[in-house]
PDB file of all heavy atoms in Angstrom:
ATOM      1  N   ARG A 313       4.037  25.123   2.540  1.00  0.00           N
ATOM      2  CA  ARG A 313       4.490  23.975   3.376  1.00  0.00           C
ATOM      3  C   ARG A 313       4.663  22.846   2.338  1.00  0.00           C
ATOM      4  O   ARG A 313       3.941  22.626   1.388  1.00  0.00           O
ATOM      5  CB  ARG A 313       3.524  23.521   4.381  1.00  0.00           C
ATOM      6  CG  ARG A 313       3.202  24.624   5.381  1.00  0.00           C
ATOM      7  CD  ARG A 313       4.416  25.084   6.227  1.00  0.00           C
ATOM      8  NE  ARG A 313       4.936  24.000   7.138  1.00  0.00           N
ATOM      9  CZ  ARG A 313       4.619  23.808   8.362  1.00  0.00           C
ATOM     10  NH1 ARG A 313       3.713  24.664   8.962  1.00  0.00           N
ATOM     11  NH2 ARG A 313       5.103  22.882   9.140  1.00  0.00           N
ATOM     12  N   GLY A 314       5.592  21.938   2.611  1.00  0.00           N
ATOM     13  CA  GLY A 314       5.871  20.830   1.729  1.00  0.00           C
ATOM     14  C   GLY A 314       5.356  19.471   2.274  1.00  0.00           C
ATOM     15  O   GLY A 314       5.568  18.436   1.646  1.00  0.00           O
ATOM     16  N   LEU A 315       4.764  19.496   3.391  1.00  0.00           N
ATOM     17  CA  LEU A 315       4.253  18.323   4.037  1.00  0.00           C
ATOM     18  C   LEU A 315       2.743  18.368   4.318  1.00  0.00           C
ATOM     19  O   LEU A 315       2.229  19.449   4.151  1.00  0.00           O
ATOM     20  CB  LEU A 315       5.009  18.115   5.465  1.00  0.00           C
ATOM     21  CG  LEU A 315       6.463  18.040   5.465  1.00  0.00           C
ATOM     22  CD1 LEU A 315       7.053  18.040   6.830  1.00  0.00           C
ATOM     23  CD2 LEU A 315       7.024  16.883   4.634  1.00  0.00           C
ATOM     24  N   LYS A 316       2.252  17.188   4.593  1.00  0.00           N
ATOM     25  CA  LYS A 316       0.705  17.113   4.944  1.00  0.00           C
ATOM     26  C   LYS A 316       0.603  15.946   5.793  1.00  0.00           C
ATOM     27  O   LYS A 316       1.431  15.016   5.943  1.00  0.00           O
ATOM     28  CB  LYS A 316      -0.117  17.045   3.727  1.00  0.00           C
ATOM     29  CG  LYS A 316       0.040  15.826   2.901  1.00  0.00           C
ATOM     30  CD  LYS A 316      -0.905  15.830   1.684  1.00  0.00           C
ATOM     31  CE  LYS A 316      -0.851  14.554   0.921  1.00  0.00           C
ATOM     32  NZ  LYS A 316      -1.769  14.473  -0.086  1.00  0.00           N
ATOM     33  N   LEU A 317      -0.595  15.898   6.463  1.00  0.00           N
ATOM     34  CA  LEU A 317      -0.915  14.673   7.229  1.00  0.00           C
ATOM     35  C   LEU A 317      -1.822  13.768   6.464  1.00  0.00           C
ATOM     36  O   LEU A 317      -2.647  14.184   5.661  1.00  0.00           O
ATOM     37  CB  LEU A 317      -1.668  15.080   8.514  1.00  0.00           C
ATOM     38  CG  LEU A 317      -0.879  15.902   9.579  1.00  0.00           C
ATOM     39  CD1 LEU A 317      -1.733  16.190  10.775  1.00  0.00           C
ATOM     40  CD2 LEU A 317       0.342  15.211   9.966  1.00  0.00           C
ATOM     41  N   GLU A 318      -1.635  12.520   6.549  1.00  0.00           N
ATOM     42  CA  GLU A 318      -2.432  11.520   5.941  1.00  0.00           C
ATOM     43  C   GLU A 318      -2.834  10.423   6.930  1.00  0.00           C
ATOM     44  O   GLU A 318      -2.175  10.248   7.951  1.00  0.00           O
ATOM     45  CB  GLU A 318      -1.748  10.768   4.822  1.00  0.00           C
ATOM     46  CG  GLU A 318      -1.468  11.579   3.528  1.00  0.00           C
ATOM     47  CD  GLU A 318      -2.726  11.763   2.685  1.00  0.00           C
ATOM     48  OE1 GLU A 318      -3.662  10.967   2.820  1.00  0.00           O
ATOM     49  OE2 GLU A 318      -2.677  12.705   1.872  1.00  0.00           O
ATOM     50  N   TYR A 319      -3.950   9.744   6.736  1.00  0.00           N
ATOM     51  CA  TYR A 319      -4.428   8.664   7.581  1.00  0.00           C
ATOM     52  C   TYR A 319      -4.315   7.377   6.752  1.00  0.00           C
ATOM     53  O   TYR A 319      -5.032   7.211   5.748  1.00  0.00           O
ATOM     54  CB  TYR A 319      -5.872   8.905   8.024  1.00  0.00           C
ATOM     55  CG  TYR A 319      -6.051  10.171   8.798  1.00  0.00           C
ATOM     56  CD1 TYR A 319      -6.333  11.395   8.122  1.00  0.00           C
ATOM     57  CD2 TYR A 319      -5.887  10.141  10.169  1.00  0.00           C
ATOM     58  CE1 TYR A 319      -6.469  12.530   8.906  1.00  0.00           C
ATOM     59  CE2 TYR A 319      -5.953  11.354  10.851  1.00  0.00           C
ATOM     60  CZ  TYR A 319      -6.322  12.475  10.280  1.00  0.00           C
ATOM     61  OH  TYR A 319      -6.344  13.612  11.054  1.00  0.00           O
ATOM     62  N   PHE A 320      -3.491   6.439   7.157  1.00  0.00           N
ATOM     63  CA  PHE A 320      -3.355   5.164   6.555  1.00  0.00           C
ATOM     64  C   PHE A 320      -3.403   4.119   7.536  1.00  0.00           C
ATOM     65  O   PHE A 320      -2.713   4.208   8.634  1.00  0.00           O
ATOM     66  CB  PHE A 320      -2.083   5.094   5.735  1.00  0.00           C
ATOM     67  CG  PHE A 320      -1.964   5.928   4.506  1.00  0.00           C
ATOM     68  CD1 PHE A 320      -1.208   7.064   4.471  1.00  0.00           C
ATOM     69  CD2 PHE A 320      -2.693   5.587   3.345  1.00  0.00           C
ATOM     70  CE1 PHE A 320      -1.136   7.884   3.316  1.00  0.00           C
ATOM     71  CE2 PHE A 320      -2.588   6.427   2.324  1.00  0.00           C
ATOM     72  CZ  PHE A 320      -1.884   7.520   2.303  1.00  0.00           C
ATOM     73  N   SER A 321      -4.184   3.057   7.385  1.00  0.00           N
ATOM     74  CA  SER A 321      -4.209   1.925   8.221  1.00  0.00           C
ATOM     75  C   SER A 321      -4.362   2.388   9.646  1.00  0.00           C
ATOM     76  O   SER A 321      -3.787   1.883  10.610  1.00  0.00           O
ATOM     77  CB  SER A 321      -2.883   1.157   8.165  1.00  0.00           C
ATOM     78  OG  SER A 321      -2.948  -0.102   8.833  1.00  0.00           O
ATOM     79  N   GLU A 322      -5.353   3.337   9.833  1.00  0.00           N
ATOM     80  CA  GLU A 322      -5.710   3.832  11.134  1.00  0.00           C
ATOM     81  C   GLU A 322      -4.676   4.436  11.954  1.00  0.00           C
ATOM     82  O   GLU A 322      -4.606   4.501  13.171  1.00  0.00           O
ATOM     83  CB  GLU A 322      -6.423   2.702  12.005  1.00  0.00           C
ATOM     84  CG  GLU A 322      -7.628   2.109  11.391  1.00  0.00           C
ATOM     85  CD  GLU A 322      -8.342   0.987  12.166  1.00  0.00           C
ATOM     86  OE1 GLU A 322      -7.964   0.842  13.322  1.00  0.00           O
ATOM     87  OE2 GLU A 322      -9.176   0.385  11.557  1.00  0.00           O
ATOM     88  N   LYS A 323      -3.670   5.052  11.203  1.00  0.00           N
ATOM     89  CA  LYS A 323      -2.603   5.744  11.770  1.00  0.00           C
ATOM     90  C   LYS A 323      -2.442   7.120  11.079  1.00  0.00           C
ATOM     91  O   LYS A 323      -2.683   7.307   9.926  1.00  0.00           O
ATOM     92  CB  LYS A 323      -1.301   4.994  11.711  1.00  0.00           C
ATOM     93  CG  LYS A 323      -1.330   3.665  12.421  1.00  0.00           C
ATOM     94  CD  LYS A 323       0.042   3.038  12.284  1.00  0.00           C
ATOM     95  CE  LYS A 323       0.019   1.659  13.082  1.00  0.00           C
ATOM     96  NZ  LYS A 323       1.242   0.962  12.969  1.00  0.00           N
ATOM     97  N   VAL A 324      -1.892   8.074  11.865  1.00  0.00           N
ATOM     98  CA  VAL A 324      -1.618   9.406  11.327  1.00  0.00           C
ATOM     99  C   VAL A 324      -0.177   9.456  10.899  1.00  0.00           C
ATOM    100  O   VAL A 324       0.669   8.994  11.682  1.00  0.00           O
ATOM    101  CB  VAL A 324      -1.930  10.503  12.374  1.00  0.00           C
ATOM    102  CG1 VAL A 324      -1.706  11.847  11.739  1.00  0.00           C
ATOM    103  CG2 VAL A 324      -3.347  10.370  12.864  1.00  0.00           C
ATOM    104  N   LYS A 325       0.162  10.019   9.744  1.00  0.00           N
ATOM    105  CA  LYS A 325       1.490  10.102   9.297  1.00  0.00           C
ATOM    106  C   LYS A 325       1.773  11.459   8.652  1.00  0.00           C
ATOM    107  O   LYS A 325       0.882  12.052   8.136  1.00  0.00           O
ATOM    108  CB  LYS A 325       1.796   9.013   8.198  1.00  0.00           C
ATOM    109  CG  LYS A 325       1.599   7.607   8.604  1.00  0.00           C
ATOM    110  CD  LYS A 325       1.820   6.734   7.447  1.00  0.00           C
ATOM    111  CE  LYS A 325       1.417   5.250   7.905  1.00  0.00           C
ATOM    112  NZ  LYS A 325       1.842   4.253   6.896  1.00  0.00           N
ATOM    113  N   ILE A 326       3.045  11.876   8.688  1.00  0.00           N
ATOM    114  CA  ILE A 326       3.403  13.061   7.994  1.00  0.00           C
ATOM    115  C   ILE A 326       3.980  12.548   6.657  1.00  0.00           C
ATOM    116  O   ILE A 326       4.827  11.658   6.601  1.00  0.00           O
ATOM    117  CB  ILE A 326       4.499  13.754   8.752  1.00  0.00           C
ATOM    118  CG1 ILE A 326       4.050  14.412   9.978  1.00  0.00           C
ATOM    119  CG2 ILE A 326       5.124  14.912   7.755  1.00  0.00           C
ATOM    120  CD1 ILE A 326       5.032  15.145  10.803  1.00  0.00           C
ATOM    121  N   VAL A 327       3.529  13.069   5.540  1.00  0.00           N
ATOM    122  CA  VAL A 327       3.981  12.653   4.183  1.00  0.00           C
ATOM    123  C   VAL A 327       4.242  13.891   3.354  1.00  0.00           C
ATOM    124  O   VAL A 327       3.849  15.045   3.763  1.00  0.00           O
ATOM    125  CB  VAL A 327       2.853  11.774   3.520  1.00  0.00           C
ATOM    126  CG1 VAL A 327       2.570  10.456   4.202  1.00  0.00           C
ATOM    127  CG2 VAL A 327       1.543  12.518   3.266  1.00  0.00           C
ATOM    128  N   THR A 328       4.894  13.747   2.214  1.00  0.00           N
ATOM    129  CA  THR A 328       5.257  14.889   1.395  1.00  0.00           C
ATOM    130  C   THR A 328       4.093  15.125   0.476  1.00  0.00           C
ATOM    131  O   THR A 328       3.255  14.260   0.234  1.00  0.00           O
ATOM    132  CB  THR A 328       6.565  14.622   0.537  1.00  0.00           C
ATOM    133  OG1 THR A 328       6.271  13.381  -0.119  1.00  0.00           O
ATOM    134  CG2 THR A 328       7.733  14.473   1.421  1.00  0.00           C
ATOM    135  N   LYS A 329       3.989  16.407   0.055  1.00  0.00           N
ATOM    136  CA  LYS A 329       2.890  16.661  -0.859  1.00  0.00           C
ATOM    137  C   LYS A 329       3.139  16.143  -2.221  1.00  0.00           C
ATOM    138  O   LYS A 329       4.332  16.255  -2.769  1.00  0.00           O
ATOM    139  CB  LYS A 329       2.728  18.239  -0.926  1.00  0.00           C
ATOM    140  CG  LYS A 329       2.079  18.790   0.333  1.00  0.00           C
ATOM    141  CD  LYS A 329       1.777  20.268   0.154  1.00  0.00           C
ATOM    142  CE  LYS A 329       1.171  20.794   1.414  1.00  0.00           C
ATOM    143  NZ  LYS A 329       0.916  22.237   1.380  1.00  0.00           N
ATOM    144  N   LYS A 330       2.140  15.589  -2.934  1.00  0.00           N
ATOM    145  CA  LYS A 330       2.310  14.998  -4.201  1.00  0.00           C
ATOM    146  C   LYS A 330       2.694  15.996  -5.360  1.00  0.00           C
ATOM    147  O   LYS A 330       3.416  15.732  -6.222  1.00  0.00           O
ATOM    148  CB  LYS A 330       1.077  14.249  -4.643  1.00  0.00           C
ATOM    149  CG  LYS A 330       0.877  12.971  -3.852  1.00  0.00           C
ATOM    150  CD  LYS A 330      -0.410  12.211  -4.253  1.00  0.00           C
ATOM    151  CE  LYS A 330      -0.532  11.000  -3.329  1.00  0.00           C
ATOM    152  NZ  LYS A 330      -1.755  10.342  -3.450  1.00  0.00           N
ATOM    153  N   GLU A 331       2.271  17.196  -5.219  1.00  0.00           N
ATOM    154  CA  GLU A 331       2.556  18.212  -6.270  1.00  0.00           C
ATOM    155  C   GLU A 331       4.064  18.595  -6.296  1.00  0.00           C
ATOM    156  O   GLU A 331       4.496  19.226  -7.298  1.00  0.00           O
ATOM    157  CB  GLU A 331       1.719  19.502  -6.057  1.00  0.00           C
ATOM    158  CG  GLU A 331       1.856  20.089  -4.722  1.00  0.00           C
ATOM    159  CD  GLU A 331       0.750  19.764  -3.726  1.00  0.00           C
ATOM    160  OE1 GLU A 331       0.209  18.653  -3.817  1.00  0.00           O
ATOM    161  OE2 GLU A 331       0.451  20.497  -2.794  1.00  0.00           O
ATOM    162  N   HIS A 332       4.823  18.143  -5.335  1.00  0.00           N
ATOM    163  CA  HIS A 332       6.242  18.388  -5.352  1.00  0.00           C
ATOM    164  C   HIS A 332       7.082  17.060  -5.745  1.00  0.00           C
ATOM    165  O   HIS A 332       8.279  17.036  -5.695  1.00  0.00           O
ATOM    166  CB  HIS A 332       6.719  18.878  -3.980  1.00  0.00           C
ATOM    167  CG  HIS A 332       6.018  20.039  -3.527  1.00  0.00           C
ATOM    168  ND1 HIS A 332       5.813  20.363  -2.174  1.00  0.00           N
ATOM    169  CD2 HIS A 332       5.452  21.099  -4.145  1.00  0.00           C
ATOM    170  CE1 HIS A 332       5.144  21.356  -2.083  1.00  0.00           C
ATOM    171  NE2 HIS A 332       4.912  21.877  -3.185  1.00  0.00           N
ATOM    172  N   SER A 333       6.341  16.109  -6.178  1.00  0.00           N
ATOM    173  CA  SER A 333       6.966  14.734  -6.379  1.00  0.00           C
ATOM    174  C   SER A 333       8.042  14.728  -7.420  1.00  0.00           C
ATOM    175  O   SER A 333       9.047  13.988  -7.355  1.00  0.00           O
ATOM    176  CB  SER A 333       5.863  13.716  -6.870  1.00  0.00           C
ATOM    177  OG  SER A 333       5.345  13.996  -8.093  1.00  0.00           O
ATOM    178  N   GLU A 334       8.036  15.640  -8.465  1.00  0.00           N
ATOM    179  CA  GLU A 334       9.104  15.652  -9.438  1.00  0.00           C
ATOM    180  C   GLU A 334      10.429  15.934  -8.868  1.00  0.00           C
ATOM    181  O   GLU A 334      11.451  15.395  -9.223  1.00  0.00           O
ATOM    182  CB  GLU A 334       8.844  16.594 -10.608  1.00  0.00           C
ATOM    183  CG  GLU A 334       8.844  18.035 -10.140  1.00  0.00           C
ATOM    184  CD  GLU A 334       8.559  19.066 -11.296  1.00  0.00           C
ATOM    185  OE1 GLU A 334       9.494  19.310 -12.028  1.00  0.00           O
ATOM    186  OE2 GLU A 334       7.413  19.422 -11.354  1.00  0.00           O
ATOM    187  N   TYR A 335      10.480  16.743  -7.737  1.00  0.00           N
ATOM    188  CA  TYR A 335      11.756  17.072  -7.103  1.00  0.00           C
ATOM    189  C   TYR A 335      12.277  15.931  -6.173  1.00  0.00           C
ATOM    190  O   TYR A 335      13.344  15.660  -6.083  1.00  0.00           O
ATOM    191  CB  TYR A 335      11.591  18.389  -6.302  1.00  0.00           C
ATOM    192  CG  TYR A 335      11.155  19.535  -7.161  1.00  0.00           C
ATOM    193  CD1 TYR A 335       9.901  20.010  -7.193  1.00  0.00           C
ATOM    194  CD2 TYR A 335      12.079  20.143  -8.037  1.00  0.00           C
ATOM    195  CE1 TYR A 335       9.465  21.038  -7.975  1.00  0.00           C
ATOM    196  CE2 TYR A 335      11.750  21.181  -8.835  1.00  0.00           C
ATOM    197  CZ  TYR A 335      10.438  21.643  -8.854  1.00  0.00           C
ATOM    198  OH  TYR A 335      10.082  22.596  -9.673  1.00  0.00           O
TER     199      TYR A 335
END
Side-chain angles (χ1 to χ4, degrees):
R313 301 299 294 267
L315 303 172
K316 66 179 183 171
L317 294 182
E318 288 283 341
Y319 300 91
F320 290 107
S321 188
E322 299 179 12
K323 293 181 180 180
V324 181
K325 301 177 185 189
I326 295 177
V327 299
T328 56
K329 290 185 176 177
K330 289 181 181 171
E331 56 264 28
H332 305 148
S333 65
E334 69 180 277
Y335 301 103

